[in-house]
Amino acid sequence: MIKTETFPVEGLMCANCAMHTERALKNMEGVENAVCNFASLEAQVTYDPARVTPNEMAEAVEKAGYKLVVLQQQGGAENNVTENIEEMRAQNFLQAKRRTIMAVLLTTVVMIINMFFVESDPRLGYPLWLLATVVVFFAGRQFYINAWKQLQQRTSNMDTLVALSTGIAYLFSVFNLFFPQVLGKDAHLYFDSSCGIITFILIGRLLEARAKANTATSLKKLMGLRPKTTTILREGRQEEIEISKVVCGDLLLVRPGEKIPVDGTVVEGSSYVDESLLNGEPVPVLKEQGSKVFEGTLNQKGSFSFRAEKVGAQTMLARIIEMVREAQNSKAPIQNIVDKVAAIFVPTIIALALLSGLLWFLFGNEPGGNLTRALLSTVTVLVIACPCALGLATPTALMVGIGRAAEKGILIKDAESLETAKHIDTIVLDKTGTITEGRPTLSEPLTALTPEQRSILLSLENRSEHPLAQALTTSLADAEAVEITNFQSLTGRGVSGEHNGTTYFVGSERLLKEQAPQLVAQSEEKTENEALTTIYFFTPNALLATLHIADRVKPTSRAALKELEQMGIEVHLLSGDSEKATAAMAQTLGITHFRGGVLPKDKADYVKQLQNSGHHTAMAGDGINDSAALAQADLSIAMGKGADVAMDIAQMTIIQSDLTRIAEAIRLSRKTTRIIRENLFWAFCYNVTLIPIAAGVLIPICGFALPPMFAAAAMALSSVSVVSNSLRLKWA
């Protein structure tokens, strides 16, 4: 069975690193797909456990120069892996912080000695050398370790640039310290440059790590909703147990102020429950006998007991967390371009740095000597040309954008869906459960039916998956079910079945015309209100009942439709209801494009026609009958209270079935895409502008030369600025 799992990866320093890790995993037999995210420092791997194990994947990644961390679950807890990851990252951050503080202190001393004392007393060059050695080879040792690993794999990354630049400056300074007579006046010491580069890069990475941690706050919030223990009721006794030990069927007690541990149904008691972090709604929801409750939601004043129905990875919260994690680690199409650039970036920069140094050495006319200028030009180009900002531009924005959507009750399946949403100019809406509340009720009681007919109608509708069936079964709660043979679900039209040799039908006007056209005239006489949904209960020879069903429009639907139109999105309404009922609904809502009496295939064809006309089309629905149209659409949106099949197909899921969230999702998509473009523009402009300056093009013009330490500071700032720009989405 194919499995998708997420692993933390250590040693990722740039987009190139992520690409190398990804390639190492993809080349393994049994790995279906792998995506390595530089922003989250995780690899999402789809693999066959029968052909490859996580430990084998870890070995392959280690050969590539990185570390894939395999953390085992303990005691059946599903959440402890995430906790271990966070603990590991906190420890790594603390270690990095200590190294950075040490580097800052020692570098400060090195700079003071180099600027004010070493020229007057050359002997101070020796303690300068010792201090620089500690900074370069202790605080900055990871740069050299990683660069060596890359060299062994015949590849290169950001650490290669840092190791080359600081190593060149350090070795040149050591040579001049011990053999000053060789170069004479050109025998300068650049220990301050090598230390400064290391220190500024360490500071930048520390700030970058803190900023990147903030991009995942939405996911952490969702994970923080999970309680660790709960109270189980067994034989009249209360017992506190770990969440991991709860199984389906257990009776659990929830007290005031406690979080609900798993999904289930209330058995006894009542209370108001805060579901805001699942659905984005601040108003608590009343829960009483028969109500559904969900893991992680917060009970308020009352207490109740409920029966556990979904536990572990099957709960709604677990599914949301997994969906958000997978979406955040997915790749947007635009990232493929970035990966191609990153693949050739580092080798190109090394070549440019060497070329710059060679040109200055051969053709320079520097008072301090061409060799010194050549060295400084080479080092500065190597330092300034960090591809980190380029690698962070897309994934950080996606992580924040997808996380922010989850906070609003919008689940986005992958990065491609988020990118697709910004192009949408047309949306097709199902009626029942999408525009309406999806809680249909009969407009009048079924008094005209005999007890036997009521029983037959109940038995037929009990087996129907259509949302309207619930209205009938609720009204027939007092009837007793009877045996039905040859039951058929007639897609988009209704149901049929036999009882005591007679065939009975329940369905739309279309079904009536197909099976008993002679009864159509009689049915028209009994249809009074066009705004109501009308279904018919009949045999081939008799119309037994004309049933009018009402389904209220959601309070937010009108405002949502108006907002979509203001955004330039054309709204279309499709329904399996009669043309008259659909037209009445469309007129009420101000929708000009509509069609009634459509079958599931008709919905898909309608969407295809819009696409063929050049429209970028979204489809929003909640039922099995919408699945074909959802699959056809450029962007598929499932209303969260609908069928699981619709949610499985959909690229977006609106948890609370609120149409206003669709407009929010599209708006967030557009903003996220804009942030990505801004990030990429800044990253490219940074490199295009500063690499020539680092190479020294301004020296002949105005005499300005970019110091290597300033280059390191600019490089660190570029990464931090990209991440900070992405964080703006947290307030979108």
Side-chain angles (χ1 to χ4, degrees), residues 689-712:
T689 305
L690 292 185
I691 288 175
I693 295 174
V697 296
L698 294 181
I699 295 175
I701 301 171
C702 61
F704 177 77
L706 186 67
M709 284 188 295
F710 285 17

mmCIF file with all atom_site columns, all heavy atoms in Angstrom, residues 689-712:
data_model
loop_
_atom_site.group_PDB
_atom_site.id
_atom_site.type_symbol
_atom_site.label_atom_id
_atom_site.label_alt_id
_atom_site.label_comp_id
_atom_site.label_asym_id
_atom_site.label_entity_id
_atom_site.label_seq_id
_atom_site.pdbx_PDB_ins_code
_atom_site.Cartn_x
_atom_site.Cartn_y
_atom_site.Cartn_z
_atom_site.occupancy
_atom_site.B_iso_or_equiv
_atom_site.pdbx_formal_charge
_atom_site.auth_seq_id
_atom_site.auth_comp_id
_atom_site.auth_asym_id
_atom_site.auth_atom_id
_atom_site.pdbx_PDB_model_num
ATOM 1   N N   . THR A 1 689 ? 21.642 43.053 -9.585  1.00 0.00 ? 689 THR A N   1
ATOM 2   C CA  . THR A 1 689 ? 22.212 44.355 -9.243  1.00 0.00 ? 689 THR A CA  1
ATOM 3   C C   . THR A 1 689 ? 23.530 44.247 -8.494  1.00 0.00 ? 689 THR A C   1
ATOM 4   O O   . THR A 1 689 ? 24.507 44.924 -8.819  1.00 0.00 ? 689 THR A O   1
ATOM 5   C CB  . THR A 1 689 ? 21.209 45.169 -8.401  1.00 0.00 ? 689 THR A CB  1
ATOM 6   O OG1 . THR A 1 689 ? 19.971 45.276 -9.092  1.00 0.00 ? 689 THR A OG1 1
ATOM 7   C CG2 . THR A 1 689 ? 21.760 46.569 -8.107  1.00 0.00 ? 689 THR A CG2 1
ATOM 8   N N   . LEU A 1 690 ? 23.592 43.388 -7.483  1.00 0.00 ? 690 LEU A N   1
ATOM 9   C CA  . LEU A 1 690 ? 24.731 43.383 -6.570  1.00 0.00 ? 690 LEU A CA  1
ATOM 10  C C   . LEU A 1 690 ? 25.910 42.525 -7.033  1.00 0.00 ? 690 LEU A C   1
ATOM 11  O O   . LEU A 1 690 ? 27.045 42.775 -6.619  1.00 0.00 ? 690 LEU A O   1
ATOM 12  C CB  . LEU A 1 690 ? 24.280 42.942 -5.177  1.00 0.00 ? 690 LEU A CB  1
ATOM 13  C CG  . LEU A 1 690 ? 23.356 43.928 -4.452  1.00 0.00 ? 690 LEU A CG  1
ATOM 14  C CD1 . LEU A 1 690 ? 23.070 43.450 -3.032  1.00 0.00 ? 690 LEU A CD1 1
ATOM 15  C CD2 . LEU A 1 690 ? 23.968 45.324 -4.405  1.00 0.00 ? 690 LEU A CD2 1
ATOM 16  N N   . ILE A 1 691 ? 25.660 41.514 -7.848  1.00 0.00 ? 691 ILE A N   1
ATOM 17  C CA  . ILE A 1 691 ? 26.795 40.711 -8.329  1.00 0.00 ? 691 ILE A CA  1
ATOM 18  C C   . ILE A 1 691 ? 27.773 41.559 -9.150  1.00 0.00 ? 691 ILE A C   1
ATOM 19  O O   . ILE A 1 691 ? 28.992 41.492 -8.921  1.00 0.00 ? 691 ILE A O   1
ATOM 20  C CB  . ILE A 1 691 ? 26.298 39.483 -9.115  1.00 0.00 ? 691 ILE A CB  1
ATOM 21  C CG1 . ILE A 1 691 ? 25.672 38.463 -8.147  1.00 0.00 ? 691 ILE A CG1 1
ATOM 22  C CG2 . ILE A 1 691 ? 27.456 38.823 -9.878  1.00 0.00 ? 691 ILE A CG2 1
ATOM 23  C CD1 . ILE A 1 691 ? 25.050 37.257 -8.833  1.00 0.00 ? 691 ILE A CD1 1
ATOM 24  N N   . PRO A 1 692 ? 27.304 42.374 -10.104 1.00 0.00 ? 692 PRO A N   1
ATOM 25  C CA  . PRO A 1 692 ? 28.251 43.243 -10.817 1.00 0.00 ? 692 PRO A CA  1
ATOM 26  C C   . PRO A 1 692 ? 28.970 44.228 -9.887  1.00 0.00 ? 692 PRO A C   1
ATOM 27  O O   . PRO A 1 692 ? 30.165 44.492 -10.076 1.00 0.00 ? 692 PRO A O   1
ATOM 28  C CB  . PRO A 1 692 ? 27.366 43.980 -11.830 1.00 0.00 ? 692 PRO A CB  1
ATOM 29  C CG  . PRO A 1 692 ? 26.170 43.101 -12.007 1.00 0.00 ? 692 PRO A CG  1
ATOM 30  C CD  . PRO A 1 692 ? 25.939 42.469 -10.674 1.00 0.00 ? 692 PRO A CD  1
ATOM 31  N N   . ILE A 1 693 ? 28.239 44.786 -8.892  1.00 0.00 ? 693 ILE A N   1
ATOM 32  C CA  . ILE A 1 693 ? 28.876 45.709 -7.946  1.00 0.00 ? 693 ILE A CA  1
ATOM 33  C C   . ILE A 1 693 ? 29.944 44.977 -7.136  1.00 0.00 ? 693 ILE A C   1
ATOM 34  O O   . ILE A 1 693 ? 31.029 45.514 -6.888  1.00 0.00 ? 693 ILE A O   1
ATOM 35  C CB  . ILE A 1 693 ? 27.818 46.336 -7.018  1.00 0.00 ? 693 ILE A CB  1
ATOM 36  C CG1 . ILE A 1 693 ? 26.866 47.220 -7.833  1.00 0.00 ? 693 ILE A CG1 1
ATOM 37  C CG2 . ILE A 1 693 ? 28.478 47.143 -5.908  1.00 0.00 ? 693 ILE A CG2 1
ATOM 38  C CD1 . ILE A 1 693 ? 25.708 47.774 -7.035  1.00 0.00 ? 693 ILE A CD1 1
ATOM 39  N N   . ALA A 1 694 ? 29.606 43.723 -6.713  1.00 0.00 ? 694 ALA A N   1
ATOM 40  C CA  . ALA A 1 694 ? 30.586 42.924 -5.980  1.00 0.00 ? 694 ALA A CA  1
ATOM 41  C C   . ALA A 1 694 ? 31.826 42.642 -6.826  1.00 0.00 ? 694 ALA A C   1
ATOM 42  O O   . ALA A 1 694 ? 32.949 42.578 -6.308  1.00 0.00 ? 694 ALA A O   1
ATOM 43  C CB  . ALA A 1 694 ? 29.950 41.615 -5.520  1.00 0.00 ? 694 ALA A CB  1
ATOM 44  N N   . ALA A 1 695 ? 31.609 42.476 -8.126  1.00 0.00 ? 695 ALA A N   1
ATOM 45  C CA  . ALA A 1 695 ? 32.734 42.211 -9.033  1.00 0.00 ? 695 ALA A CA  1
ATOM 46  C C   . ALA A 1 695 ? 33.607 43.446 -9.249  1.00 0.00 ? 695 ALA A C   1
ATOM 47  O O   . ALA A 1 695 ? 34.724 43.327 -9.752  1.00 0.00 ? 695 ALA A O   1
ATOM 48  C CB  . ALA A 1 695 ? 32.217 41.689 -10.364 1.00 0.00 ? 695 ALA A CB  1
ATOM 49  N N   . GLY A 1 696 ? 33.075 44.645 -8.902  1.00 0.00 ? 696 GLY A N   1
ATOM 50  C CA  . GLY A 1 696 ? 33.885 45.859 -8.958  1.00 0.00 ? 696 GLY A CA  1
ATOM 51  C C   . GLY A 1 696 ? 33.614 46.760 -10.148 1.00 0.00 ? 696 GLY A C   1
ATOM 52  O O   . GLY A 1 696 ? 34.483 47.571 -10.517 1.00 0.00 ? 696 GLY A O   1
ATOM 53  N N   . VAL A 1 697 ? 32.420 46.672 -10.771 1.00 0.00 ? 697 VAL A N   1
ATOM 54  C CA  . VAL A 1 697 ? 32.147 47.502 -11.944 1.00 0.00 ? 697 VAL A CA  1
ATOM 55  C C   . VAL A 1 697 ? 32.098 48.992 -11.619 1.00 0.00 ? 697 VAL A C   1
ATOM 56  O O   . VAL A 1 697 ? 32.286 49.841 -12.511 1.00 0.00 ? 697 VAL A O   1
ATOM 57  C CB  . VAL A 1 697 ? 30.821 47.082 -12.626 1.00 0.00 ? 697 VAL A CB  1
ATOM 58  C CG1 . VAL A 1 697 ? 30.907 45.678 -13.163 1.00 0.00 ? 697 VAL A CG1 1
ATOM 59  C CG2 . VAL A 1 697 ? 29.649 47.242 -11.682 1.00 0.00 ? 697 VAL A CG2 1
ATOM 60  N N   . LEU A 1 698 ? 31.844 49.341 -10.345 1.00 0.00 ? 698 LEU A N   1
ATOM 61  C CA  . LEU A 1 698 ? 31.770 50.752 -9.969  1.00 0.00 ? 698 LEU A CA  1
ATOM 62  C C   . LEU A 1 698 ? 33.136 51.363 -9.640  1.00 0.00 ? 698 LEU A C   1
ATOM 63  O O   . LEU A 1 698 ? 33.244 52.587 -9.524  1.00 0.00 ? 698 LEU A O   1
ATOM 64  C CB  . LEU A 1 698 ? 30.830 50.936 -8.764  1.00 0.00 ? 698 LEU A CB  1
ATOM 65  C CG  . LEU A 1 698 ? 29.344 50.617 -8.987  1.00 0.00 ? 698 LEU A CG  1
ATOM 66  C CD1 . LEU A 1 698 ? 28.557 50.875 -7.709  1.00 0.00 ? 698 LEU A CD1 1
ATOM 67  C CD2 . LEU A 1 698 ? 28.771 51.430 -10.132 1.00 0.00 ? 698 LEU A CD2 1
ATOM 68  N N   . ILE A 1 699 ? 34.133 50.523 -9.492  1.00 0.00 ? 699 ILE A N   1
ATOM 69  C CA  . ILE A 1 699 ? 35.460 51.048 -9.120  1.00 0.00 ? 699 ILE A CA  1
ATOM 70  C C   . ILE A 1 699 ? 36.006 51.995 -10.180 1.00 0.00 ? 699 ILE A C   1
ATOM 71  O O   . ILE A 1 699 ? 36.451 53.111 -9.851  1.00 0.00 ? 699 ILE A O   1
ATOM 72  C CB  . ILE A 1 699 ? 36.435 49.891 -8.844  1.00 0.00 ? 699 ILE A CB  1
ATOM 73  C CG1 . ILE A 1 699 ? 35.976 49.096 -7.598  1.00 0.00 ? 699 ILE A CG1 1
ATOM 74  C CG2 . ILE A 1 699 ? 37.854 50.415 -8.634  1.00 0.00 ? 699 ILE A CG2 1
ATOM 75  C CD1 . ILE A 1 699 ? 36.806 47.862 -7.325  1.00 0.00 ? 699 ILE A CD1 1
ATOM 76  N N   . PRO A 1 700 ? 35.980 51.646 -11.466 1.00 0.00 ? 700 PRO A N   1
ATOM 77  C CA  . PRO A 1 700 ? 36.475 52.594 -12.484 1.00 0.00 ? 700 PRO A CA  1
ATOM 78  C C   . PRO A 1 700 ? 35.604 53.841 -12.618 1.00 0.00 ? 700 PRO A C   1
ATOM 79  O O   . PRO A 1 700 ? 36.091 54.884 -13.056 1.00 0.00 ? 700 PRO A O   1
ATOM 80  C CB  . PRO A 1 700 ? 36.443 51.764 -13.774 1.00 0.00 ? 700 PRO A CB  1
ATOM 81  C CG  . PRO A 1 700 ? 36.367 50.349 -13.360 1.00 0.00 ? 700 PRO A CG  1
ATOM 82  C CD  . PRO A 1 700 ? 35.623 50.339 -12.067 1.00 0.00 ? 700 PRO A CD  1
ATOM 83  N N   . ILE A 1 701 ? 34.321 53.733 -12.248 1.00 0.00 ? 701 ILE A N   1
ATOM 84  C CA  . ILE A 1 701 ? 33.396 54.844 -12.437 1.00 0.00 ? 701 ILE A CA  1
ATOM 85  C C   . ILE A 1 701 ? 33.472 55.837 -11.283 1.00 0.00 ? 701 ILE A C   1
ATOM 86  O O   . ILE A 1 701 ? 33.640 57.046 -11.492 1.00 0.00 ? 701 ILE A O   1
ATOM 87  C CB  . ILE A 1 701 ? 31.949 54.310 -12.587 1.00 0.00 ? 701 ILE A CB  1
ATOM 88  C CG1 . ILE A 1 701 ? 31.855 53.355 -13.787 1.00 0.00 ? 701 ILE A CG1 1
ATOM 89  C CG2 . ILE A 1 701 ? 30.963 55.460 -12.718 1.00 0.00 ? 701 ILE A CG2 1
ATOM 90  C CD1 . ILE A 1 701 ? 30.537 52.628 -13.893 1.00 0.00 ? 701 ILE A CD1 1
ATOM 91  N N   . CYS A 1 702 ? 33.327 55.334 -10.049 1.00 0.00 ? 702 CYS A N   1
ATOM 92  C CA  . CYS A 1 702 ? 33.303 56.232 -8.890  1.00 0.00 ? 702 CYS A CA  1
ATOM 93  C C   . CYS A 1 702 ? 34.215 55.794 -7.757  1.00 0.00 ? 702 CYS A C   1
ATOM 94  O O   . CYS A 1 702 ? 34.216 56.408 -6.688  1.00 0.00 ? 702 CYS A O   1
ATOM 95  C CB  . CYS A 1 702 ? 31.871 56.395 -8.371  1.00 0.00 ? 702 CYS A CB  1
ATOM 96  S SG  . CYS A 1 702 ? 31.124 54.833 -7.807  1.00 0.00 ? 702 CYS A SG  1
ATOM 97  N N   . GLY A 1 703 ? 34.957 54.728 -7.958  1.00 0.00 ? 703 GLY A N   1
ATOM 98  C CA  . GLY A 1 703 ? 35.894 54.260 -6.956  1.00 0.00 ? 703 GLY A CA  1
ATOM 99  C C   . GLY A 1 703 ? 35.282 53.449 -5.828  1.00 0.00 ? 703 GLY A C   1
ATOM 100 O O   . GLY A 1 703 ? 35.965 53.123 -4.855  1.00 0.00 ? 703 GLY A O   1
ATOM 101 N N   . PHE A 1 704 ? 33.969 53.088 -5.946  1.00 0.00 ? 704 PHE A N   1
ATOM 102 C CA  . PHE A 1 704 ? 33.317 52.330 -4.879  1.00 0.00 ? 704 PHE A CA  1
ATOM 103 C C   . PHE A 1 704 ? 33.588 50.841 -5.025  1.00 0.00 ? 704 PHE A C   1
ATOM 104 O O   . PHE A 1 704 ? 33.375 50.261 -6.086  1.00 0.00 ? 704 PHE A O   1
ATOM 105 C CB  . PHE A 1 704 ? 31.812 52.571 -4.887  1.00 0.00 ? 704 PHE A CB  1
ATOM 106 C CG  . PHE A 1 704 ? 31.070 51.749 -3.851  1.00 0.00 ? 704 PHE A CG  1
ATOM 107 C CD1 . PHE A 1 704 ? 31.093 52.129 -2.516  1.00 0.00 ? 704 PHE A CD1 1
ATOM 108 C CD2 . PHE A 1 704 ? 30.381 50.600 -4.208  1.00 0.00 ? 704 PHE A CD2 1
ATOM 109 C CE1 . PHE A 1 704 ? 30.432 51.365 -1.561  1.00 0.00 ? 704 PHE A CE1 1
ATOM 110 C CE2 . PHE A 1 704 ? 29.709 49.842 -3.270  1.00 0.00 ? 704 PHE A CE2 1
ATOM 111 C CZ  . PHE A 1 704 ? 29.740 50.228 -1.934  1.00 0.00 ? 704 PHE A CZ  1
ATOM 112 N N   . ALA A 1 705 ? 34.027 50.230 -3.929  1.00 0.00 ? 705 ALA A N   1
ATOM 113 C CA  . ALA A 1 705 ? 34.230 48.782 -3.869  1.00 0.00 ? 705 ALA A CA  1
ATOM 114 C C   . ALA A 1 705 ? 33.448 48.224 -2.692  1.00 0.00 ? 705 ALA A C   1
ATOM 115 O O   . ALA A 1 705 ? 33.553 48.731 -1.576  1.00 0.00 ? 705 ALA A O   1
ATOM 116 C CB  . ALA A 1 705 ? 35.715 48.453 -3.726  1.00 0.00 ? 705 ALA A CB  1
ATOM 117 N N   . LEU A 1 706 ? 32.654 47.209 -2.947  1.00 0.00 ? 706 LEU A N   1
ATOM 118 C CA  . LEU A 1 706 ? 31.821 46.613 -1.897  1.00 0.00 ? 706 LEU A CA  1
ATOM 119 C C   . LEU A 1 706 ? 32.670 45.709 -1.012  1.00 0.00 ? 706 LEU A C   1
ATOM 120 O O   . LEU A 1 706 ? 33.223 44.709 -1.495  1.00 0.00 ? 706 LEU A O   1
ATOM 121 C CB  . LEU A 1 706 ? 30.675 45.810 -2.519  1.00 0.00 ? 706 LEU A CB  1
ATOM 122 C CG  . LEU A 1 706 ? 29.637 45.231 -1.548  1.00 0.00 ? 706 LEU A CG  1
ATOM 123 C CD1 . LEU A 1 706 ? 28.842 46.353 -0.891  1.00 0.00 ? 706 LEU A CD1 1
ATOM 124 C CD2 . LEU A 1 706 ? 28.684 44.280 -2.296  1.00 0.00 ? 706 LEU A CD2 1
ATOM 125 N N   . PRO A 1 707 ? 32.821 46.027 0.284   1.00 0.00 ? 707 PRO A N   1
ATOM 126 C CA  . PRO A 1 707 ? 33.601 45.164 1.176   1.00 0.00 ? 707 PRO A CA  1
ATOM 127 C C   . PRO A 1 707 ? 32.941 43.796 1.343   1.00 0.00 ? 707 PRO A C   1
ATOM 128 O O   . PRO A 1 707 ? 31.703 43.697 1.339   1.00 0.00 ? 707 PRO A O   1
ATOM 129 C CB  . PRO A 1 707 ? 33.610 45.931 2.503   1.00 0.00 ? 707 PRO A CB  1
ATOM 130 C CG  . PRO A 1 707 ? 33.243 47.334 2.151   1.00 0.00 ? 707 PRO A CG  1
ATOM 131 C CD  . PRO A 1 707 ? 32.336 47.233 0.967   1.00 0.00 ? 707 PRO A CD  1
ATOM 132 N N   . PRO A 1 708 ? 33.706 42.721 1.501   1.00 0.00 ? 708 PRO A N   1
ATOM 133 C CA  . PRO A 1 708 ? 33.137 41.376 1.671   1.00 0.00 ? 708 PRO A CA  1
ATOM 134 C C   . PRO A 1 708 ? 32.164 41.263 2.840   1.00 0.00 ? 708 PRO A C   1
ATOM 135 O O   . PRO A 1 708 ? 31.154 40.560 2.741   1.00 0.00 ? 708 PRO A O   1
ATOM 136 C CB  . PRO A 1 708 ? 34.373 40.500 1.899   1.00 0.00 ? 708 PRO A CB  1
ATOM 137 C CG  . PRO A 1 708 ? 35.484 41.225 1.210   1.00 0.00 ? 708 PRO A CG  1
ATOM 138 C CD  . PRO A 1 708 ? 35.183 42.683 1.396   1.00 0.00 ? 708 PRO A CD  1
ATOM 139 N N   . MET A 1 709 ? 32.459 41.973 3.952   1.00 0.00 ? 709 MET A N   1
ATOM 140 C CA  . MET A 1 709 ? 31.551 41.906 5.105   1.00 0.00 ? 709 MET A CA  1
ATOM 141 C C   . MET A 1 709 ? 30.201 42.526 4.795   1.00 0.00 ? 709 MET A C   1
ATOM 142 O O   . MET A 1 709 ? 29.156 42.023 5.204   1.00 0.00 ? 709 MET A O   1
ATOM 143 C CB  . MET A 1 709 ? 32.184 42.590 6.320   1.00 0.00 ? 709 MET A CB  1
ATOM 144 C CG  . MET A 1 709 ? 33.263 41.780 6.986   1.00 0.00 ? 709 MET A CG  1
ATOM 145 S SD  . MET A 1 709 ? 33.803 42.546 8.520   1.00 0.00 ? 709 MET A SD  1
ATOM 146 C CE  . MET A 1 709 ? 34.541 44.069 7.891   1.00 0.00 ? 709 MET A CE  1
ATOM 147 N N   . PHE A 1 710 ? 30.195 43.632 4.054   1.00 0.00 ? 710 PHE A N   1
ATOM 148 C CA  . PHE A 1 710 ? 28.941 44.253 3.653   1.00 0.00 ? 710 PHE A CA  1
ATOM 149 C C   . PHE A 1 710 ? 28.162 43.326 2.725   1.00 0.00 ? 710 PHE A C   1
ATOM 150 O O   . PHE A 1 710 ? 26.935 43.280 2.760   1.00 0.00 ? 710 PHE A O   1
ATOM 151 C CB  . PHE A 1 710 ? 29.210 45.592 2.969   1.00 0.00 ? 710 PHE A CB  1
ATOM 152 C CG  . PHE A 1 710 ? 29.594 46.694 3.913   1.00 0.00 ? 710 PHE A CG  1
ATOM 153 C CD1 . PHE A 1 710 ? 30.028 46.430 5.201   1.00 0.00 ? 710 PHE A CD1 1
ATOM 154 C CD2 . PHE A 1 710 ? 29.529 48.018 3.523   1.00 0.00 ? 710 PHE A CD2 1
ATOM 155 C CE1 . PHE A 1 710 ? 30.377 47.442 6.077   1.00 0.00 ? 710 PHE A CE1 1
ATOM 156 C CE2 . PHE A 1 710 ? 29.879 49.046 4.385   1.00 0.00 ? 710 PHE A CE2 1
ATOM 157 C CZ  . PHE A 1 710 ? 30.315 48.738 5.668   1.00 0.00 ? 710 PHE A CZ  1
ATOM 158 N N   . ALA A 1 711 ? 28.897 42.616 1.880   1.00 0.00 ? 711 ALA A N   1
ATOM 159 C CA  . ALA A 1 711 ? 28.257 41.643 0.989   1.00 0.00 ? 711 ALA A CA  1
ATOM 160 C C   . ALA A 1 711 ? 27.555 40.557 1.797   1.00 0.00 ? 711 ALA A C   1
ATOM 161 O O   . ALA A 1 711 ? 26.439 40.151 1.477   1.00 0.00 ? 711 ALA A O   1
ATOM 162 C CB  . ALA A 1 711 ? 29.300 41.027 0.058   1.00 0.00 ? 711 ALA A CB  1
ATOM 163 N N   . ALA A 1 712 ? 28.220 40.083 2.866   1.00 0.00 ? 712 ALA A N   1
ATOM 164 C CA  . ALA A 1 712 ? 27.617 39.059 3.728   1.00 0.00 ? 712 ALA A CA  1
ATOM 165 C C   . ALA A 1 712 ? 26.363 39.586 4.402   1.00 0.00 ? 712 ALA A C   1
ATOM 166 O O   . ALA A 1 712 ? 25.352 38.880 4.511   1.00 0.00 ? 712 ALA A O   1
ATOM 167 C CB  . ALA A 1 712 ? 28.634 38.601 4.772   1.00 0.00 ? 712 ALA A CB  1
#
